[in-house]
Amino acid sequence: MKIEKSEQLFSNAQKYIPGGVNSPVRAFKSVGGNPLFIEKGYGSKIVDVDGNEYVEYIGSWGPHLFGHNPSFIKEALLQAIENGTSFGAPTAIEVEMAKLFTSLIPSCEMVRMVNSGTEATMSAVRAARGYTEREKIIKFEGCYHGHADFFLIKAGSGALTFGVPTSPGVTKGNAADTLIADFNDIDSVKDLVAQNKNEIAAIIIEPIAGNMGVVPSSDSFIKELRAICDEEGIVLIFDEVMTGFRVAKGGAQQVLGVTPDLSTFGKIIGGGLPVGAFGGKKEIMQKISPAGPVYQAGTLSGNPLAMAAGYAALKHIHDNPQVYDELEEKAVYLENGFKKNLKELGKNFAMTRVGSMSCMFLTEEEVTDFNSAVKSDTELYGKYFHEMLNRGVYLAPAQFEAMFISTAHSYEDLDKTITAHLESLKAIL
Ligand code: KE4
């Protein structure tokens, strides 16, 4: 496979950009080799600068529920850009977006648009702290909520993949206010709540984890979390940046049947442009400036281009809820193909899936939390990743990520992927 142009670009990039990339996981550090520079994407495909085409399952880390550059998003952007890019003043599309968004996510009585998932989660925590007048938060080992200081305490995703669970630069003060519980272990939550009585402002969780690989929450766990928050006056925050509009039209809160006090979103709601959002109970959201005293702001929050792309994505979901049936059928097809391969190879690698986000862990033990996830053989995953890449299938360049299927993936794409999966595993086992 010719990759000279990518190699040249990467060599140049490292002179000006830390690690040659604008987000760490893109650098292929945990799978080895150098990153491919992508020229374009269409449907389920991406093409690198050397002209190599791949069926891909990153979808820009989740946004591309309908594949790359779907016509209805492209047309919305082309129309919006005729009027300019950003005004730093309110626009009608922001009202339309908020109205549509809150109609799709009933727990969000009000919503504030921001520019990334990180901004959404850090703002939601500030809202919870302002509302409760408490300071501590509980997060879960292996869950990733973006890179605000108080989250980079045993984060999952990039930090976990690099094996650096606590990032340098995070102050002791921040670490002291962030308590770490174990995913799917309600006793670990009860212990922290008992030890910090009336001090915990919020519990933030990926209700279906996607940043330690995909790890579903157990049936009772989230319901018990809701009960604890009700009893203790703690704000329950669902970080649905990845699961929102991914696992169902109403996100993980619809799948699990549990209503959070606040939720955060990103990825799909931007249609591929930088957007995040946080929303929830009116009594909490009314605390947010300028309605209330909790400050939160952003130069490009709700900008017309991102709103046009995001609105087009959500409107498509609103008008075509059957897309989730299609995504489920395709995800089951791929999952069955992988399971058939593993049976033929006599390998019982742990496979998890919720809707169109899934993961194959290179461990034969069941994966139910962070400690079981990290038993995966990340070196073997690196070999698997490159074998698949050489067969024209582009997966997440890290074991602790999710594999995303879009409506643009054809059954031909899925068959190619299933064949490549078998051949790749045969080559490395
Ligand atoms: P961003 O700030 O990257 O838009 O969102 C942070 C975030 C928050 N919450 C959840 C559940 C998330 O998955 C993310 C970001 N996800 C990673 C992929 N696992 C983004 C990829 C990257 O860091 O480049």
Side-chain angles (χ1 to χ4, degrees):
M1 191 166 72
K2 201 169 65 68
I3 56 169
E4 281 82 8
K5 287 181 182 170
S6 273
E7 301 280 357
Q8 185 55 49
L9 277 166
F10 188 51
S11 165
N12 274 341
Q14 292 175 87
K15 294 176 196 159
Y16 312 107
I17 308 169
V21 290
N22 282 311
S23 196
V25 72
R26 303 176 190 171
F28 280 21
K29 277 258 185 281
S30 68
V31 291
N34 292 331
L36 299 174
F37 282 64
I38 304 305
E39 175 139 291
K40 61 183 173 183
Y42 45 86
S44 60
K45 311 291 189 305
I46 49 175
V47 183
D48 68 22
V49 292
D50 291 285
N52 302 303
E53 182 182 89
Y54 309 89
V55 176
E56 70 100 3
Y57 292 91
I58 299 184
S60 181
W61 301 100
H64 297 324
L65 194 69
F66 313 108
H68 291 270
N69 224 5
S71 56
F72 56 90
I73 291 180
K74 186 175 161 185
E75 278 146 32
L77 279 170
L78 291 172
Q79 202 173 344
I81 205 159
E82 287 300 322
N83 294 332
T85 54
S86 180
F87 313 113
T91 58
I93 186 70
E94 291 168 80
V95 184
E96 287 307 304
M97 178 68 166
K99 190 174 166 197
L100 176 59
F101 186 97
T102 52
S103 75
L104 290 167
I105 307 289
S107 70
C108 287
E109 294 173 325
M110 300 190 90
V111 65
R112 168 64 58 89
M113 292 292 152
V114 294
N115 299 284
S116 70
T118 295
E119 272 192 80
T121 54
M122 63 183 249
S123 304
V125 164
R126 187 178 311 132
R129 284 171 161 159
Y131 174 72
T132 60
E133 296 179 357
R134 298 177 183 176
E135 298 189 356
K136 291 185 176 171
I137 62 169
I138 292 178
K139 77 171 286 287
F140 293 83
E141 194 160 17
C143 284
Y144 175 70
H145 304 294
H147 62 91
D149 276 7
F150 47 78
F151 290 136
L152 290 181
I153 316 287
K154 296 204 175 168
S157 185
L160 174 68
T161 303
F162 289 130
V164 181
T166 302
S167 168
V170 174
T171 63
K172 291 189 182 65
N174 266 304
D177 283 336
T178 300
L179 307 170
I180 305 291
D182 297 322
F183 195 76
N184 277 335
D185 174 357
I186 201 66
D187 290 336
S188 72
V189 178
K190 287 177 179 171
D191 291 348
L192 288 174
V193 169
Q195 292 155 17
N196 299 274
K197 203 76 180 155
N198 301 322
E199 291 185 75
I200 297 168
I203 294 178
I204 184 167
I205 189 165
E206 291 180 67
I208 295 164
N211 286 289
M212 47 177 135
V214 176
V215 180
S217 46
S218 69
D219 278 354
S220 59
F221 179 61
I222 299 294
K223 288 186 174 65
E224 289 180 284
L225 215 45
R226 176 70 273 173
I228 290 171
C229 288
D230 289 341
E231 264 163 54
E232 302 288 337
I234 296 172
V235 173
L236 180 56
I237 303 174
F238 277 5
D239 177 356
E240 295 226 42
V241 168
M242 188 183 289
T243 55
F245 302 101
R246 166 60 62 180
V247 296
K249 184 176 153 208
Q253 50 199 274
Q254 175 191 319
V255 171
L256 298 168
V258 176
T259 302
D261 302 309
L262 293 177
S263 307
T264 57
F265 296 84
K267 298 180 192 281
I268 290 169
I269 71 164
L273 268 68
V275 182
F278 66 103
K281 283 181 174 171
K282 198 166 192 168
E283 65 189 279
I284 303 175
M285 294 302 288
Q286 288 285 38
K287 294 283 185 186
I288 299 294
S289 176
V294 179
Y295 195 68
Q296 190 279 327
T299 305
L300 293 169
S301 295
N303 83 79
L305 294 190
M307 291 296 99
Y311 184 86
L314 296 192
K315 186 75 171 52
H316 190 81
I317 287 169
H318 175 271
D319 296 346
N320 305 277
Q322 75 281 6
V323 296
Y324 291 99
D325 298 330
E326 178 188 351
L327 287 165
E328 183 66 16
E329 282 157 23
K330 289 180 174 178
V332 167
Y333 185 88
L334 188 70
E335 182 182 50
N336 289 341
F338 277 23
K339 283 183 173 173
K340 183 168 171 285
N341 290 345
L342 293 177
K343 194 167 169 28
E344 181 182 327
L345 295 167
K347 277 290 178 190
N348 189 29
F349 289 139
M351 289 196 47
T352 56
R353 180 181 69 80
V354 181
S356 59
M357 59 188 261
S358 65
C359 185
M360 178 181 76
F361 293 91
L362 292 184
T363 171
E364 296 193 83
E365 291 186 39
E366 192 190 9
V367 174
T368 57
D369 58 12
F370 173 81
N371 289 329
S372 46
V374 293
K375 287 181 181 163
S376 304
D377 182 338
T378 51
E379 195 181 329
L380 190 61
Y381 181 85
K383 291 176 184 162
Y384 167 64
F385 169 82
H386 283 287
E387 289 292 337
M388 292 290 272
L389 198 63
N390 292 336
R391 292 174 173 80
V393 178
Y394 192 115
L395 301 175
Q399 164 73 85
F400 304 111
E401 296 292 350
M403 182 178 188
F404 297 109
I405 283 185
S406 76
T407 54
H409 283 83
S410 66
Y411 282 95
E412 188 188 351
D413 292 334
L414 302 180
D415 287 336
K416 171 181 177 168
T417 306
I418 291 164
T419 303
H421 174 259
L422 181 60
E423 291 171 356
S424 297
L425 290 176
K426 279 180 177 171
I428 63 173
L429 293 174

